[in-house]
Amino acid sequence: MKVIFLDRKTLGYKDNAPVGKAYEIILDMVLIQRSSFKLNKTNIETSIGDIVIAKNDEFSYIGILESIEQKDDHSTIIRTLDFREIFNLDVLVTSFTGDLIDYLYQLISSHFKTNPDTLQNLDYLTIQKEASVTGSLTYEADKVENISKIFELVSKSYGISFQTEVVYLRGRITHILFKIVNVQEGLVMKSNFSSILNVETNDSSSQVINKVIYYPRSDNQLHTSSMVFYLLTDGNITTDMNHVLRYQAVMTKTFIYSDHEYETLETKARSEMVTSKLDHQITFNLDLNNQVFIPFKNFNLGDYISFKHNKKTYDTVVTGLVFKDTLKVAKVTLGEYRVKLTEKVQLLSKAKSQQVSHISITNTDLDGGEF
């Protein structure tokens, strides 16, 4: 595997270096993670913030150089952030109803393609829409929000994912392609599949929130009724208190809503309840010497998985992929829960910065086959 260094502004070539035996590529849609590479080269021509491409036969990792350290053994250790961290930018937002993919496209374009500050524009960035979903984003007046958080909201509420690819022309890297796509649904995995090894499950000690109540603010003028939503065991949401698929052990969360929030209550309720349902972490090593379950070919971050383990079925999401010192085995993470103390602290900080965490999994026929 080889690492290529490209100028962040122009994508012009700067340097390259062979990767040694020690590296860790971490892709995570829940937390900010850093990848690291030990390179068999010193005095590399690059700068902090440059684009880093780790090129191999299976896929190309695209990152942003965060640190570089020259070692005594004539090697260099670099640490990188995923390319999507380039969208970690606070912007002024307004409410929107319509095709949310168009909204994201215009959001990226206005800040990274047609920005009046030309130094912020990335001419090599190509945005490709491969999905369409109608929805609403509701914000208070004069609201500033982070683009990455908007990505997360739309991704988890509407089944949208994001992929980055390197575009070559006659062997030279010319563009970075940012694709907005629908997540894949219907994959069913069993933990006894021969290529799945070392399965570990960690469930949060809290029970699944399956009932959310919204009471109107006392000063509401338009909407003065209480709204109650229930999570069903098949993953759907209902307002029918007597539905036969309701959870028998009721766990409730209560909120107050204002007039301008009324139209988004169902989405917010779904977010609260499905976030709770994803409050687990399943990790396993996946031997990539198989033909049915291979990262970047038939599953990606954000895809929906029905994972069967020890007579229990988890309807969950692929949230992490790690390649450590080899590309023949991937460590896969399912779910939102994180076990390490440092990760818990980051999740807590993230939760405090967001009033509502929007996560929605639409129940579908899981007919993709069992592996």
Side-chain angles (χ1 to χ4, degrees):
M1 181 164 56
K2 180 170 66 173
V3 164
I4 302 171
F5 296 89
L6 305 172
D7 184 87
R8 176 180 177 133
K9 175 59 181 173
T10 66
L11 210 64
Y13 172 83
K14 298 183 77 171
D15 209 338
N16 73 85
V19 178
K21 294 182 179 179
Y23 62 87
E24 187 172 30
I25 299 174
I26 306 177
L27 306 173
D28 197 305
M29 63 177 289
V30 176
L31 300 174
I32 297 174
Q33 301 281 13
R34 289 161 177 82
S35 299
S36 61
F37 303 85
K38 186 173 183 179
L39 308 179
N40 296 328
K41 185 175 181 178
T42 58
N43 300 318
I44 299 171
E45 293 295 330
T46 190
S47 302
I48 301 302
D50 277 345
I51 303 299
V52 177
I53 309 292
K55 184 180 179 182
N56 58 80
D57 294 335
E58 285 74 22
F59 69 99
S60 290
Y61 164 80
I62 310 173
I64 304 169
L65 183 63
E66 185 183 50
S67 68
I68 182 166
E69 179 184 3
Q70 190 165 310
K71 308 298 289 186
D72 294 335
D73 60 354
H74 304 291
S75 66
T76 301
I77 293 179
I78 64 169
R79 291 179 174 82
T80 63
L81 296 171
D82 187 276
F83 178 78
R84 282 184 288 184
E85 289 304 315
I86 211 164
F87 301 118
N88 188 6
L89 177 70
D90 291 336
V91 299
L92 184 67
V93 293
T94 57
S95 297
F96 175 86
T97 298
D99 190 337
L100 294 178
I101 309 307
D102 286 339
Y103 176 84
L104 296 179
Y105 182 91
Q106 294 300 327
L107 186 67
I108 301 169
S109 297
S110 63
H111 291 283
F112 294 96
K113 300 291 289 182
T114 60
N115 198 303
D117 181 359
T118 57
L119 290 179
Q120 190 169 306
N121 290 329
L122 302 175
D123 294 337
Y124 57 81
L125 180 64
T126 300
I127 313 159
Q128 186 169 310
K129 299 183 292 183
E130 296 186 3
S132 179
V133 59
T134 299
S136 297
L137 297 175
T138 303
Y139 297 106
E140 299 175 357
D142 304 318
K143 173 67 174 177
V144 171
E145 186 59 275
N146 190 282
I147 292 179
S148 294
K149 291 180 180 178
I150 299 173
F151 285 175
E152 181 181 0
L153 186 155
V154 175
S155 172
K156 295 177 179 179
S157 295
Y158 295 96
I160 297 300
S161 187
F162 309 95
Q163 299 172 8
T164 53
E165 296 180 6
V166 179
V167 179
Y168 293 89
L169 177 63
R170 292 188 290 274
R172 184 173 67 89
I173 298 173
T174 59
H175 291 82
I176 292 178
L177 179 62
F178 184 76
K179 297 196 297 185
I180 308 172
V181 302
N182 289 311
V183 299
Q184 295 188 63
E185 306 176 44
L187 286 176
V188 180
M189 294 188 67
K190 292 183 177 181
S191 61
N192 60 2
F193 177 49
S194 60
S195 293
I196 294 178
L197 310 168
N198 306 321
V199 177
E200 294 185 10
T201 61
N202 291 279
D203 291 313
S204 169
S205 58
S206 59
Q207 291 181 279
V208 173
I209 302 299
N210 52 67
K211 177 180 178 181
V212 175
I213 305 172
Y214 289 97
Y215 293 112
R217 283 172 55 112
S218 58
D219 59 352
N220 277 9
Q221 299 296 315
L222 300 175
H223 305 286
T224 57
S225 299
S226 299
M227 297 291 294
V228 185
F229 300 91
Y230 307 95
L231 177 67
L232 303 180
T233 55
D234 65 358
N236 282 320
I237 304 295
T238 186
T239 56
D240 180 3
M241 182 175 61
N242 299 312
H243 200 289
V244 294
L245 294 182
R246 281 193 61 194
Y247 282 81
Q248 295 302 300
V250 178
M251 296 297 296
T252 304
K253 203 165 186 178
T254 303
F255 300 92
I256 303 295
Y257 76 91
S258 60
D259 275 335
H260 79 273
E261 293 177 300
Y262 181 80
E263 299 298 331
T264 64
L265 292 186
E266 182 175 353
T267 297
K268 291 181 178 181
R270 183 184 297 274
S271 299
E272 288 292 336
M273 291 188 280
V274 181
T275 296
S276 176
K277 191 173 182 179
L278 289 179
D279 206 6
H280 58 256
Q281 176 179 303
I282 303 167
T283 59
F284 55 86
N285 291 330
L286 180 65
D287 183 348
L288 301 187
N289 186 27
N290 75 85
Q291 301 298 317
V292 294
F293 210 73
I294 304 173
F296 314 116
K297 291 187 178 179
N298 60 3
F299 81 99
N300 277 283
L301 289 181
D303 286 349
Y304 300 159
I305 301 291
S306 184
F307 189 79
K308 299 183 178 183
H309 178 64
N310 290 344
K311 298 182 180 181
K312 184 174 181 178
T313 298
Y314 294 86
D315 290 323
T316 185
V317 173
V318 180
T319 56
L321 291 170
V322 178
F323 300 87
K324 185 174 177 61
D325 303 333
T326 180
L327 297 176
K328 297 180 180 179
V329 176
K331 182 178 181 180
V332 181
T333 300
L334 310 177
E336 294 274 342
Y337 187 63
R338 292 297 185 262
V339 177
K340 295 180 181 178
L341 178 59
T342 54
E343 295 177 333
K344 288 183 177 181
V345 170
Q346 191 179 152
L347 278 174
L348 180 61
S349 175
K350 178 179 174 182
K352 286 182 177 179
S353 68
Q354 294 175 285
Q355 289 186 343
V356 179
S357 177
H358 295 258
I359 301 177
S360 172
I361 297 181
T362 303
N363 187 58
T364 60
D365 259 348
L366 297 174
D367 57 358
E370 296 187 358
F371 305 122

